[in-house]
Amino acid sequence: MSLAAEAFVSQIAAAEPWPENAALYQQMKEEQILLSDNASCLAVQAFLQMCSLPVHVVCRPNAEYMSPSGKVPFIHVGNQVVSELGPIVQFVKAKGHSLSDGLDEVQKAEMKAYMELVNNMLLTAELYLQWCDDATVEEITHPRYGSPYPWPLNRILAYQKQWEVRRKMKAIGWAGKSLEQVLEDVDQCCQALSQRLGTQPYFFNKLPTELDALVFGHLFTILTTQLTSDELSEKVKNYSNLVAFCRRIEQQYFEGRDKDSSSTSRFSKGPLLR
């Protein structure tokens, strides 16, 4: 298909209304999905809720391999398949739904900078913990990641993913870090987010943006995921306004909604955010 034809198809897709049967694909919630993927999926769910766009969550053990980018989540809307928060935000914007249109150019640049901070610090720390911390790898990551598959495929896939992530950590200079250094990076990220949020309900005052969805996805998942220790969640709990922020979004956009579609309750290890 030519570029002009692809552009025409994209315009047609953008003009179509959001369907009731839109689906978000991710791994199995209870027994398979890992912290980082869980956070990314919840961020997209929160973003779509903030846009008042319905989506049905579909759990598939091979969701990672179904995704066009190899990462979750991805959404299936009409005949379009789009993966990861950034492209999904752009896809939704093309359909006339945006959370950041009210921001000026300086604010938009600031929002993008903080989103980069979250991805570079929190997401990377989650990946480090999952695949580079020996206790977490042995007790949580390998058993969960390979859970849908029989032996020896479960072990082969887990070691393949571990090699891939550790290679990435080496490339970005994280391979030599200790767990204490990674936790310190998380604390510094939380401190920056806490200072930017202040006493506002959202990062840009009264209305949420995709930054709020991204931060909520990661912080809420960190707060409510059972790991080998509480060191990671304790870093977030040190900032009461961030905990209150997570609780606010949980209450406003998730509580009381269809529990099979976009509920955060399935991620929790208990009613922590009270």
Side-chain angles (χ1 to χ4, degrees):
M1 185 183 292
S2 68
L3 290 176
E6 287 181 0
F8 177 73
V9 170
S10 296
Q11 288 175 354
I12 295 295
E16 295 174 351
W18 189 268
E20 289 296 321
N21 65 345
L24 180 148
Y25 286 79
Q26 63 176 57
Q27 300 100 324
M28 307 303 289
K29 291 180 183 179
E30 298 294 344
E31 65 272 15
Q32 182 191 15
I33 198 166
L34 299 177
L35 173 66
S36 60
D37 287 339
N38 204 348
S40 297
C41 291
L42 186 56
V44 171
Q45 288 184 55
F47 171 73
L48 294 175
Q49 292 280 23
M50 290 170 179
C51 292
S52 299
L53 297 173
V55 66
H56 176 65
V57 177
V58 180
C59 298
R60 294 284 184 271
N62 61 336
E64 181 180 356
Y65 304 102
M66 293 169 64
S67 170
S69 69
K71 296 180 181 180
V72 293
F74 67 91
I75 57 172
H76 185 195
V77 180
N79 62 354
Q80 301 287 305
V81 177
V82 188
S83 62
E84 302 180 73
L85 180 62
I88 289 171
V89 168
Q90 293 305 311
F91 175 77
V92 167
K93 184 177 182 179
K95 285 188 171 293
H97 304 274
S98 175
L99 297 178
S100 53
D101 273 355
L103 304 183
D104 61 33
E105 292 306 310
V106 173
Q107 290 174 319
K108 286 180 181 178
E110 186 182 7
M111 179 188 73
K112 290 178 181 178
Y114 276 96
M115 292 182 75
E116 283 295 309
L117 175 68
V118 172
N119 287 323
N120 290 339
M121 288 294 188
L122 290 186
L123 177 58
T124 307
E126 291 161 2
L127 288 168
Y128 175 97
L129 195 65
Q130 287 167 187
W131 296 104
C132 300
D133 177 64
D134 292 337
T136 305
V137 169
E138 188 65 27
E139 294 181 36
I140 297 174
T141 307
H142 276 199
R144 288 184 66 85
Y145 189 82
S147 63
Y149 306 103
W151 186 91
L153 182 60
N154 59 343
R155 303 296 287 177
I156 292 171
L157 291 175
Y159 278 114
Q160 181 179 309
K161 184 69 174 183
Q162 184 174 0
W163 178 82
E164 175 189 319
V165 173
R166 289 192 174 187
R167 185 178 63 171
K168 176 185 176 182
M169 291 294 157
K170 187 175 182 180
I172 63 174
W174 278 55
K177 287 192 176 187
S178 65
L179 178 58
E180 290 71 25
Q181 289 173 317
V182 170
L183 291 171
E184 181 59 30
D185 286 341
V186 170
D187 184 68
Q188 289 181 9
C189 180
C190 288
Q191 183 178 5
L193 292 172
S194 177
Q195 289 175 349
R196 179 62 183 84
L197 180 64
T199 58
Q200 302 176 118
Y202 301 107
F203 283 96
F204 291 92
N205 203 6
K206 295 181 180 179
L207 294 175
T209 65
E210 48 264 40
L211 171 62
D212 297 278
L214 179 65
V215 173
F216 170 75
H218 285 277
L219 296 187
F220 186 94
T221 305
I222 288 171
L223 286 167
T224 58
T225 299
Q226 187 70 58
L227 298 173
T228 56
S229 79
D230 292 332
E231 288 178 300
L232 184 61
S233 61
E234 287 299 325
K235 293 297 182 185
V236 179
K237 288 180 185 178
N238 286 335
Y239 300 93
S240 59
N241 64 335
L242 295 182
V243 176
F245 165 84
C246 290
R247 180 65 184 131
R248 188 180 307 116
I249 292 181
E250 182 193 26
Q251 286 180 319
Q252 184 160 350
Y253 294 102
F254 290 93
E255 284 189 353
R257 295 176 185 263
D258 181 1
K259 286 189 166 44
D260 289 329
S261 60
S262 297
S263 171
T264 58
S265 63
R266 298 290 295 278
F267 301 104
S268 299
K269 60 184 177 184
L272 288 180
L273 305 185
R274 295 292 183 266

